[in-house]
Amino acid sequence: MIAEKKRISKYSNCLNFTANALARVMTNISDDEFGRLGLTASHAFVLKEAIENPGIQPKELSGELHLTPSTITRLIEKLELKKLVERKIEGKHTLVYATEKGIVMLPDIKKAWDNLMRRYADILGDESSRKMTDMLYGAVKALGKDS
């Protein structure tokens, strides 16, 4: 049997195509790791922030996680249904708090995050992973200024 070469896509020179392809691959890996907890990576990051920053406001979550306010609201609602967070209204502000059920998940969330990072670092190498992460986040910050 002849070894088949991995074909390079004719779109691989397009940042939009490549970033989306990478996002799909990373989502599959993160779904595998965080899915064991019954969460998506986005849910896990919101919960982690609520645990580490009790009373965090959705606007702060939106900025920290680079997600729209409506997406943050949907994530919080899902976590509320799972009884992992609760919202409290204080004046004009909505504050998000992790519940005890949510708080006890923090070690498992950190482990899933570590496993995720280890999986791609094992493939790409530690140094390449760090450099790629820095470069991609730099692009997010530079390109996201106008959005």
Side-chain angles (χ1 to χ4, degrees):
M1 187 174 200
I2 299 173
E4 191 175 314
K5 286 186 177 182
K6 289 238 179 189
R7 183 170 118 77
I8 296 174
S9 171
K10 63 184 173 187
Y11 303 108
S12 64
N13 65 339
C14 172
L15 179 59
N16 181 61
F17 172 84
T18 303
N20 281 299
L22 177 62
R24 287 188 294 275
V25 170
M26 291 304 299
T27 297
N28 288 336
I29 297 170
S30 68
D31 284 351
D32 186 40
E33 294 300 334
F34 290 104
R36 297 172 192 180
L37 306 176
L39 301 171
T40 65
S42 295
H43 288 108
F45 293 144
V46 168
L47 179 54
K48 183 176 182 296
E49 286 298 312
I51 294 167
E52 294 175 348
N53 302 290
I56 192 166
Q57 294 182 31
K59 184 176 181 176
E60 294 172 282
L61 287 166
S62 180
E64 182 66 25
L65 300 176
H66 295 271
L67 295 169
T68 63
S70 62
T71 298
I72 291 295
T73 298
R74 285 192 304 275
L75 292 168
I76 291 169
E77 288 170 350
K78 187 82 159 202
L79 290 169
E80 281 181 313
L81 287 173
K82 292 177 178 264
K83 307 226 183 288
L84 299 175
V85 301
E86 61 185 2
R87 284 183 280 191
K88 294 182 181 176
I89 307 297
E90 289 188 14
K92 295 180 181 181
H93 301 287
T94 299
L95 308 177
V96 181
Y97 294 89
T99 63
E100 281 302 314
K101 183 179 175 183
I103 291 168
V104 299
M105 292 185 73
L106 185 59
D108 292 329
I109 290 169
K110 287 181 176 181
K111 183 178 180 188
W113 194 6
D114 288 344
N115 289 345
L116 168 66
M117 291 173 26
R118 176 59 28 218
R119 282 178 66 178
Y120 63 74
D122 284 349
I123 296 166
L124 302 172
D126 288 333
E127 186 176 343
S128 291
S129 295
R130 278 191 299 277
K131 285 181 180 178
M132 186 182 298
T133 300
D134 290 346
M135 192 169 66
L136 289 170
Y137 193 68
V140 166
K141 289 186 339 188
L143 294 169
K145 287 180 181 175
D146 296 332
S147 54

